[in-house]
């Protein structure tokens, strides 16, 4: 256990280091003046201001010292300053992250619950026509890039049918208005998460089904649903957890794209605007925050894995 | 065999579109007509904001979209297979290091990383291929490694070692052929996901604006009034091409059920 724990901790620490290095090194090694990368390309400044910024951003100091200052800044929550939006990056992200997390959180909850339950059923009843149809639908949906799925739903339900509002998070700040605005984005992302988990769960249950213990339970006369949801599912759910760690980054970036499509004022639109005007401090800050979240999600999945499957702790697999 | 027919036929259609766009497309992408035309007999999908024939654009875009997908798939497969082979064969510190690197690449959120890279570099197709390839080898390496560990102490490998063949020879002549069957479906899946990434990046305006790909077309439609004018015939054809292309390529891997299960779970 200690050996595994040590190895895991080293890996997470190394990932964090790589993330910080990426954010630190990019503006400094790319061809061109690093000041321009740190303040953004479209800002027009005089040479004097440029020289002043150079000193103020610490770019005239040796690289190790710059790195130390940068790390200290990151640890104290200073992610740089956006000269386009005249605001610290940390507060820009802080203002909007709640909405993105709400979108991701709700969709994950719905998508995982529905995906796991129906994936288990599809795997258990894999010969039925309806199960095959659901699998086919799952494969199709998981092949559509999330933003395209959003575009399709957007054009059908918003432009054609007018069921949902065009843009924004709310018209009046109450829960119903927010739900009305978020319904379609959440549905898009949840559908995507659902399809992926359905496929993983199906494959996993198909493998578990042929083990001896479900057959033994069946021989004892345990009803099918109880075998599936009481015995098989507990084992079959492990690949979902492994996959969650890998999928998190993917789902999160899917959420960013969906926000752009539906004009929700979250991290995605912040990123989109920053890309158009090449606002590098905002892009770096966003990457840092998303990457750290991905590392945390991985840790969470690891811990949960140990809770659900006690063998991991005991035998040290 | 029959279920391979549809995906293969689709891929053949796309391949023809990619190789001989001039033969199929009614116009070239440089010809201009009246802008924002609705579909009629001459322009089956109408024309876009610059007066280009949409059908012809879709056909000409095929080459780049497929090329970026397959080329990044190839880059990822080569790197992943080599790393997986070495990590599976060696049990010492090298294995630890390589697997550590693999885990780190796995944890890093790929699309945000590509976005920030692309924003700094304003990439052309080649750079995109390199970046996408360099960021998607990790799953290949894991599959290959676990397969190598399975066969490492098999009799035929031991025999080769007793005969005094070098490690390189054994890895490439004895082990690589065994690993190959898991690499192929993986290649297909990496290619599909590279196509999705390319489409997503182009949608953000992060690819070379002078070249046409399906993602660029959807981005144009989204930003230049395709939605407000309800021109579904503008963005739907490239969108359908992406979906069908990815679906055809992926289903090649999924049809092989056992292979798919190995691939999906690792």
């Amino acid at each position: 256990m200690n050996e595994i724990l040590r190895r895991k901790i080293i890996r997470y620490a190394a990932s964090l280091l790589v993330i910080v290095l990426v954010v630190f090194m990019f503006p400094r090694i790319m061809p061109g003046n690093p000041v321009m990368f740190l303040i953004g390309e479209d800002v027009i400044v005089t040479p004097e201001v440029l020289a002043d910024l150079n000193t103020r951003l610490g770019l005239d100091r040796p690289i190790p010292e710059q790195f130390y200052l940068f790390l200290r800044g990151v640890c104290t929550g200073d992610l740089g300053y956006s000269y386009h939006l005249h605001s610290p990056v940390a507060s820009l992200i802080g203002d909007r992250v709640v909405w993105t997390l709400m979108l991701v959180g709700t969709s994950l909850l719905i998508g995982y619950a529905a995906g796991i339950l129906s994936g288990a059923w599809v795997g258990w009843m894999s010969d039925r026509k309806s199960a095959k149809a659901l699998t086919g639908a799952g494969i199709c949906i998981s092949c559509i890039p999330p933003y395209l799925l959003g575009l399709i739903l957007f054009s059908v339900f918003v432009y054609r049918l007018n069921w949902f509002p065009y843009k924004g998070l709310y018209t009046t700040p109450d829960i119903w208005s927010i739900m009305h605005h978020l319904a379609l984005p959440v549905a898009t992302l949840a559908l995507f998460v659902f399809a992926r988990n359905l496929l993983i769960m199906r494959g996993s249950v198909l493998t578990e089904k042929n083990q001896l213990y479900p057959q033994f339970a069946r021989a004892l006369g345990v009803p099918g649903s109880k075998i599936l949801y009481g015995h098989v599912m507990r084992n079959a759910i492990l690949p979902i957890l492994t996959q969650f760690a890998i999928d998190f980054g993917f789902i999160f970036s899917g959420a960013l794209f969906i926000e752009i499509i539906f004009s929700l004022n979250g991290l995605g639109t912040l990123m989109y605007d920053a890309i158009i005007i090449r606002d590098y401090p905002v892009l770096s800050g966003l990457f840092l925050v998303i990457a750290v979240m991905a590392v945390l999600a991985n840790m969470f999945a690891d811990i949960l894995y140990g809770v659900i499957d006690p063998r991991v702790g005991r035998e040290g697999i | 065999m029959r279920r391979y027919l549809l995906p293969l036929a689709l891929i053949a259609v796309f391949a023809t579109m990619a190789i001989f766009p001039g033969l199929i497309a009614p116009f070239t992408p440089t010809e201009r007509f009246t802008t924002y035309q609705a579909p009629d007999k001459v322009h089956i999908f109408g024309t876009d904001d610059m007066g280009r024939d949409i059908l012809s654009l879709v056909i000409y875009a095929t080459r780049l979209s497929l090329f970026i997908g397959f080329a990044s798939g190839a880059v990822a497969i080569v790197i992943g297979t080599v790393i997986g082979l070495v990590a599976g064969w060696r049990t010492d510190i090298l294995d630890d290091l390589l697997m550590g690197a693999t885990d780190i690449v796995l944890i890093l959120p790929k699309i945000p990383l590509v976005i920030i890279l692309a924003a700094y570099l304003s990439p052309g197709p080649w750079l995109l291929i390199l970046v996408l390839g360099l960021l998607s080898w990790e799953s290949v390496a894991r599959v290959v490694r676990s397969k190598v560990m399975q066969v490492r102490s098999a009799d035929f490998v031991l025999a080769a070692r007793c005969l005094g063949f070098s490690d390189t020879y054994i890895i490439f002549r004895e082990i690589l052929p065994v690993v190959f069957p898991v690499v192929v479906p993986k290649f297909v899946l990496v290619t599909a996901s590279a196509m999705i990434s390319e489409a997503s990046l182009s949608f953000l305006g992060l690819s070379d604006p002078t070249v046409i790909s399906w993602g660029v077309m959807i981005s144009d439609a989204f930003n230049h009034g395709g939605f407000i004018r309800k021109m579904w015939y503008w963005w739907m054809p490239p969108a359908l091409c992406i979906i069908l292309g990815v679906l055809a390529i992926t289903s090649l891997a999924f049809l092989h059920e056992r292979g798919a299960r190995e691939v999906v779970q690792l």
Side-chain angles (χ1 to χ4, degrees):
Chain A
M1 181 61 190
N2 284 333
E3 172 64 20
I4 305 170
L5 200 66
R6 217 190 63 215
R7 200 177 281 183
K8 290 264 182 220
I9 290 173
I10 290 177
R11 274 177 200 182
Y12 287 130
S15 318
L16 285 176
L17 186 68
V18 170
I19 292 163
V20 173
L21 269 179
V22 163
V23 174
F24 173 75
M25 291 307 286
F26 275 175
R28 289 168 176 82
I29 56 171
M30 292 297 163
N33 188 347
V35 180
M36 295 317 285
F37 284 129
L38 286 173
I39 62 178
E41 245 165 38
D42 283 356
V43 181
I44 298 162
V45 286
T46 58
E48 294 85 62
V49 179
L50 211 61
D52 175 49
L53 276 174
N54 212 16
T55 350
R56 249 200 307 157
L57 293 168
L59 289 172
D60 50 351
R61 299 182 211 198
I63 290 283
E65 198 186 335
Q66 282 186 37
F67 187 59
Y68 169 71
L69 287 174
F70 173 80
L71 263 188
R72 209 181 56 185
V74 168
C75 292
T76 52
D78 172 20
L79 298 176
Y81 189 85
S82 166
Y83 288 83
H84 278 284
L85 302 170
H86 300 290
S87 172
V89 173
S91 75
L92 279 174
I93 293 177
D95 287 346
R96 294 154 181 247
V97 75
V98 183
W99 292 109
T100 305
L101 284 181
M102 202 156 105
L103 170 63
V104 174
T106 326
S107 320
L108 281 182
L109 220 59
I110 300 173
Y112 267 87
I116 289 172
L117 290 178
S118 45
W121 181 80
V122 164
W124 192 248
M125 301 286 181
S126 56
D127 291 331
R128 284 208 193 168
K129 271 244 160 55
S130 51
K132 281 180 179 164
L134 203 55
T135 312
I139 293 179
C140 286
I141 293 173
S142 64
C143 281
I144 306 177
Y147 83 94
L148 219 49
L149 198 62
L151 269 184
I152 294 170
L153 291 181
F154 184 69
S155 87
V156 171
F157 289 105
V158 178
Y159 269 106
R160 296 274 150 189
L161 299 174
N162 264 320
W163 285 3
F164 295 98
Y166 279 79
K167 57 179 286 184
L169 286 160
Y170 49 80
T171 30
T172 49
D174 61 72
I175 183 99
W176 294 112
S177 176
I178 293 174
M179 272 171 75
H180 188 215
H181 281 76
L182 275 181
L184 208 52
V186 166
T188 313
L189 196 57
L191 203 60
F192 184 70
V193 176
F194 164 77
R196 284 179 83 87
N197 286 311
L198 178 98
L199 294 181
I200 300 167
M201 198 64 193
R202 172 178 178 269
S204 177
V205 168
L206 276 178
T207 335
E208 286 298 322
K209 199 163 74 169
N210 295 327
Q211 305 268 333
L212 281 178
Y213 70 90
Q215 292 172 27
F216 182 64
R218 178 156 287 184
L220 283 179
V222 182
S225 62
K226 206 172 171 196
I227 304 176
L228 173 60
Y229 291 109
H231 300 280
V232 172
M233 212 163 87
R234 288 187 61 165
N235 292 311
I237 215 160
L238 293 174
I240 294 264
L241 273 182
T242 325
Q243 195 66 27
F244 169 73
I246 302 165
D247 269 3
F248 179 81
F250 201 56
I251 294 169
F252 202 91
S253 24
L256 301 184
F257 282 93
I258 288 169
E259 282 180 0
I260 297 170
I261 304 279
F262 291 96
S263 316
L264 303 178
N265 208 8
L267 295 184
T269 36
L270 182 67
M271 182 185 75
Y272 192 54
D273 296 338
I275 289 172
I276 291 174
I277 53 174
R278 294 288 192 268
D279 194 346
Y280 296 110
V282 171
L283 285 177
S284 304
L286 274 174
F287 172 70
L288 194 68
V289 169
I290 296 171
V292 169
M293 275 195 229
V295 174
L296 290 179
N298 270 279
M299 285 183 183
F300 174 70
D302 265 345
I303 295 169
L304 208 59
Y305 205 104
V307 173
I308 292 188
D309 187 358
R311 283 175 306 176
V312 178
R314 242 184 286 137
E315 291 167 26
I317 304 169
Chain B
M1 232 29 233
R2 257 183 57 222
R3 48 188 195 168
Y4 285 87
L5 211 62
L6 191 63
L8 282 179
L10 263 176
I11 289 175
V13 170
F14 282 127
T16 327
M17 277 160 70
I19 301 169
F20 310 109
L23 290 181
I24 312 168
F27 305 99
T28 65
T30 44
E31 281 176 83
R32 302 292 160 96
F33 307 92
T34 326
T35 54
Y36 297 122
Q37 250 174 278
D40 55 26
K41 277 194 189 114
V42 188
H43 305 287
I44 297 173
F45 294 133
T47 56
D48 70 357
D49 59 320
M50 291 201 277
R52 296 174 297 187
D53 180 58
I54 289 171
L55 175 65
S56 310
L57 280 185
V58 169
I59 293 171
Y60 273 92
T62 314
R63 182 179 291 176
L64 191 70
S65 298
L66 286 189
F67 179 67
I68 289 184
F70 277 102
S72 355
V75 171
I77 281 297
V78 171
I79 300 176
T81 310
V82 169
I83 289 185
L85 282 173
V86 174
W89 182 248
R90 301 274 295 257
T91 43
D92 50 3
I93 185 97
L94 194 64
D95 176 32
D96 263 359
L97 280 179
L98 287 176
M99 279 301 108
T102 311
D103 280 356
I104 292 172
V105 176
L106 199 68
I107 292 176
L108 288 181
K110 206 166 61 171
I111 292 180
L113 186 56
V114 179
I115 287 173
I116 178 172
L117 259 175
Y120 276 116
L121 297 169
S122 311
W126 289 105
L127 202 66
L128 207 57
I129 290 169
L130 201 66
V131 170
L132 287 179
L134 281 177
L135 288 175
S136 26
W137 52 266
E138 81 285 344
S139 53
V140 187
R142 289 171 75 137
V143 180
V144 171
R145 175 173 175 268
S146 72
K147 199 78 193 170
V148 173
M149 303 212 4
Q150 275 175 27
V151 299
R152 195 171 53 196
S153 44
D155 287 342
F156 67 96
V157 177
L158 289 179
R161 288 173 83 167
C162 291
L163 288 171
F165 288 119
S166 70
D167 278 6
T168 338
Y169 181 89
I170 298 175
I171 288 177
F172 284 102
R173 297 303 287 275
E174 304 284 341
I175 293 183
L176 190 58
V178 181
V179 171
F180 199 66
V182 290
V183 172
V184 174
K186 204 73 215 181
F187 169 67
V188 165
L189 289 184
V190 173
T191 301
S193 94
M195 279 174 67
I196 291 183
S197 301
E198 189 271 332
S200 314
L201 284 179
S202 317
F203 178 71
L204 293 178
L206 281 174
S207 63
D208 189 347
T210 57
V211 293
I212 328 153
S213 73
W214 292 329
V216 173
M217 289 185 68
I218 297 172
S219 158
D220 277 349
F222 186 69
N223 291 319
H224 300 166
F227 276 81
I228 295 172
R229 290 160 187 271
K230 300 197 175 173
M231 291 171 68
W232 56 270
Y233 43 83
W234 184 357
W235 59 272
M236 214 49 191
L240 269 182
C241 279
I242 294 178
I243 296 170
L244 285 180
V246 172
L247 200 58
I249 292 175
T250 320
S251 57
L252 279 187
F254 267 98
L255 283 174
H256 188 54
E257 178 89 31
R258 226 186 111 258
R261 217 177 302 156
E262 272 178 42
V263 164
V264 165
Q265 289 191 4
L266 278 165

